Amino acid sequence: MKVDGVAYRTVWPGADGASVEIIDQTLLPHRFVTVPLHTLDDAARAIRAMQVRGAPLIGVTAAYGVALALAADPSDTALANAAAVLAATRPTAVNLRWALERMAAHLRTVAPADRAAAAFAEAGQIADEDVAVSSAIGDYGLALFREAASKAPGRPLQVLTHCNAGWLATVDWGTALAPIYKAFDAGIALHVWVDETRPRNQGASLTAWELGRHGVPHTVIVDNAGGHLMQHGRVDLCIVGTDRTTATGDVCNKIGTYLKALAAHDNGVPFYVALPSSTIDWRLDDGVREIPIEERDGREVTHITGATAGGGLETVALTPERSTAANFGFDVTPARLVTGLITERGVVAASRAGLAAAFPDQANA
Ligand code: MRU
């Protein structure tokens, strides 16, 4: 997508052939800054600190992290160490494991002397595939949006999304936002309700920034407003991304997604989840019991960072000094609350049968 007229991806090889560039997402929407990653530790830190975040982008950055590690030491030991260090950065998004396993399987067949080049090439391939997959998700979602818009003649289609599943969460296009961009570009009138998505506010800071840059009409709402809007007929459909989806269609996504799905179910609002197949964990059946939920620093709840009137960035306390805070990063929406999964192979039922029919090659691997 374009930023000030310049086309960007969220991660790309550096011009020196030895580094990787990313957009520092912790500074958005107030500053647009790109930073280079030179080492395995740089890549691991960028993922852990959420300079890059979003399930697909975490996976692609990890793949490049392996390449950076092998450029310093192409041995089997270094390959295993890189995979272990990167796998430990964030527990919930399964694209991380998927990318690391794909890199390791490929690189084990390559002689150490050729490994760094092969790793950069494979990471680039994963990035290119992610763009193609996100674009396909957008195309399948566009068909759904067309149908929904035909049922809302004479007014913009009202869409609600949670967290950031846009191009910033992938390499380009996004998952949940890809259909929104494709629909907007196709001339479908729409408006997006953007959940602010506490505690890190990826909706208010990232989704709103992306949509604004593309010219998509949107309104930021507090996380608790969705139910009210749905009760009053002001949401036609919800669409979110996911960090891990089980083989049975349970969907793990940013904390608060489950509550939106419950409200959608109660109000007859379709609830769609957009995902690349790299987000499906074929080894899991029961999302609520089996998916590891990241617990993050309570300071993300007790404090908040924003821009001052003078243009500086400042962090302030929200809570009494002695109050502790719990910070669960994700929750699980059971498959029964999901209207459909929008994948790169079409819209499928959130069920074992639906996923297996679309991805027989992966389901039976
Ligand atoms: O904690 P984050 O910002 O990595 O969480 C991101 C989300 O929950 C997204 O909705 C999810 O990764 C789907 S992204 C395409």
Side-chain angles (χ1 to χ4, degrees), residues 8 31 82 86 90 133 162 167 281 301 308 330 349 351:
Y8 278 92
R31 311 243 196 292
L86 290 160
R90 293 197 68 193
V133 160
H162 190 70
W167 73 273
D281 189 339
V301 178
T308 64
F330 300 89
S351 65

Side-chain angles (χ1 to χ4, degrees), residues 50 53-56 58 90 162-166 169-170 174-176 202 240-243 253-254 274 294 296 329-330:
M50 293 176 66
R53 27 65 54 205
I58 290 170
R90 293 197 68 193
H162 190 70
C163 196
N164 174 265
T170 62
T175 57
Q202 294 97 324
V240 299
T242 167
D243 294 83
N253 193 49
K254 181 57 50 185
E294 178 176 10
R296 300 185 57 81
F330 300 89

Side-chain angles (χ1 to χ4, degrees), residues 159-320:
V159 180
L160 183 142
T161 193
H162 190 70
C163 196
N164 174 265
W167 73 273
L168 290 170
T170 62
V171 179
D172 207 346
W173 282 111
T175 57
L177 296 198
I180 291 174
Y181 290 129
K182 298 245 177 182
F184 179 79
D185 291 350
I188 295 173
L190 52 81
H191 165 265
V192 184
W193 297 108
V194 177
D195 287 348
E196 61 177 349
T197 320
R198 278 278 289 149
R200 288 186 70 103
N201 288 321
Q202 294 97 324
S205 58
L206 305 178
T207 300
W209 181 80
E210 278 193 28
L211 293 176
R213 291 281 162 151
H214 203 79
V216 179
H218 63 280
T219 304
V220 178
I221 51 175
V222 296
D223 291 327
N224 299 327
H228 166 76
L229 290 171
M230 291 187 225
Q231 277 178 329
H232 289 267
R234 299 185 66 183
V235 180
D236 294 309
L237 67 91
C238 300
I239 186 165
V240 299
T242 167
D243 294 83
R244 193 184 298 222
T245 289
T246 64
T248 54
D250 289 344
V251 166
C252 183
N253 193 49
K254 181 57 50 185
I255 193 81
T257 302
Y258 172 48
L259 294 178
K260 298 300 167 300
L262 283 174
H265 185 72
D266 195 43
N267 290 283
V269 174
F271 190 90
Y272 290 102
V273 180
L275 69 153
S277 57
S278 53
T279 303
I280 303 167
D281 189 339
W282 297 101
R283 301 173 200 173
L284 300 188
D285 290 336
D286 183 335
V288 174
R289 274 167 197 79
E290 294 177 316
I291 295 178
I293 301 295
E294 178 176 10
E295 290 186 44
R296 300 185 57 81
D297 192 338
R299 197 175 155 84
E300 293 179 353
V301 178
T302 59
H303 289 69
I304 201 158
T305 302
T308 64
L313 294 185
E314 204 166 313
T315 300
V316 296
L318 291 171
T319 55

